């Protein structure tokens, strides 16, 4: 029998992974995605199978938030805070929170006081307690503020002037249009009056009657014994 067949075979399947930070960035990201999805799935299964209130919050190394809660994350956190206050160490936690809020309140009150003093100084009050350096800084701040106000004022004035000029041009254009309209109306009225003064052709000039041969009489067709001689035979037009 071959001795190689007596050697133990390597175990197939997934091996144990040493729990430590994965140095390779790509492998670490892949592992994070896989384990994150598995953890969210387990949290969902635990909440359904055991009717438990579960809230899961995960932040990646890039700061992205992943969460799951069968109720709501905020509601579960509030429930956790309420439950934590019932423990024996609630006194120390409350005292630490109280000191923190007191410090924050003191900082805010100091900031309010500084802002109030600064506003009074800008208005010219409480200058006697200020040093020369503080007065120079206050003067610099005032000059910068005045320059900004003047610049804004000039900008608004230029904008208003541009608007007035534009409006004036529009009014001039409208005035010219109205003048042309009035001139056209006056010319139309004058033409109408001139046409009404001219006499009618049918009443002013008589129409010549058509030529009628019966209105003429030839002298040579009259009696030869007439007092007119043969040399004087002419065509006389009867009246």
């Amino acid at each position: 029998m071959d001795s190689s067949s007596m050697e133990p075979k390597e175990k197939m399947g997934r091996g144990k992974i040493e729990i430590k930070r994965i140095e390779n960035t790509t492998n670490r990201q892949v592992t994070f995605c896989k384990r994150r999805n598995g953890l969210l799935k387990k949290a969902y299964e635990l909440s359904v199978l055991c009717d438990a209130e579960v809230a899961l919050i995960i932040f990646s190394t890039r700061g992205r938030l992943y969460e799951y809660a069968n109720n709501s994350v905020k509601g579960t956190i509030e429930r956790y805070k309420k439950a934590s206050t019932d423990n024996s160490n609630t006194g120390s936690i409350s005292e630490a929170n109280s000191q923190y809020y007191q410090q924050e309140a003191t900082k805010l009150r100091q900031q309010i006081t500084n802002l109030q003093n600064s506003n009074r100084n800008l208005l010219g009050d409480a200058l006697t307690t200020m040093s020369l350096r503080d007065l120079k800084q206050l003067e610099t701040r005032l000059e910068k503020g005045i320059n900004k106000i003047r610049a804004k004022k000039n900008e608004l004035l230029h904008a208003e002037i541009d608007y007035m000029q534009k409006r004036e041009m529009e009014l001039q254009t409208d005035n010219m249009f109205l003048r042309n309209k009035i001139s056209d109306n006056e010319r139309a009225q004058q033409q109408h009056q001139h046409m009404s003064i001219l006499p009618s052709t049918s009443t002013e000039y008589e129409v010549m009657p058509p030529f009628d041969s019966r209105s003429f009489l030839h002298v040579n067709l009259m009696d030869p014994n007439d007092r007119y001689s043969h040399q004087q035979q002419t065509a006389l037009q009867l009246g």
Side-chain angles (χ1 to χ4, degrees), residues 41-147:
K41 182 179 179 181
K42 292 296 183 182
Y44 166 74
E45 293 175 351
L46 180 62
S47 64
V48 174
L49 295 175
C50 303
D51 195 18
E53 183 176 355
V54 179
L56 176 63
I57 300 174
I58 304 173
F59 284 99
S60 67
T61 55
R62 297 180 181 179
R64 296 188 61 180
L65 171 64
Y66 303 92
E67 62 180 9
Y68 167 78
N70 59 336
N71 182 12
S72 70
V73 175
K74 185 177 181 180
T76 304
I77 292 175
E78 293 296 332
R79 184 177 178 182
Y80 168 76
K81 289 181 178 180
K82 185 177 179 180
S84 298
T85 56
D86 297 335
N87 296 333
S88 59
N89 57 349
T90 54
S92 59
I93 296 175
S94 300
E95 184 179 356
N97 292 334
S98 178
Q99 291 178 357
Y100 171 77
Y101 289 126
Q102 287 179 358
Q103 292 176 358
E104 291 296 321
T106 303
K107 291 179 181 179
L108 292 175
R109 283 194 294 268
Q110 185 63 36
Q111 291 179 1
I112 293 172
T113 302
N114 294 335
L115 290 174
Q116 291 176 349
N117 293 332
S118 177
N119 291 333
R120 284 197 295 267
N121 294 333
L122 290 174
L123 294 175
D125 297 334
L127 299 179
T128 56
T129 59
M130 297 181 64
S131 62
L132 180 62
R133 179 179 179 183
D134 294 337
L135 290 173
K136 288 183 178 180
Q137 292 179 355
L138 179 61
E139 183 181 7
T140 303
R141 290 177 57 191
L142 290 173
E143 289 178 352
K144 290 182 179 179
I146 292 173
N147 291 332

Side-chain angles (χ1 to χ4, degrees), residues 186-198:
E186 291 177 351
R187 282 195 296 268
Q189 291 179 359
Q190 291 176 0
Q191 291 178 0
H192 179 71
Q193 293 176 358
H194 180 70
M195 293 298 296
S196 62
I197 293 174
L198 290 177

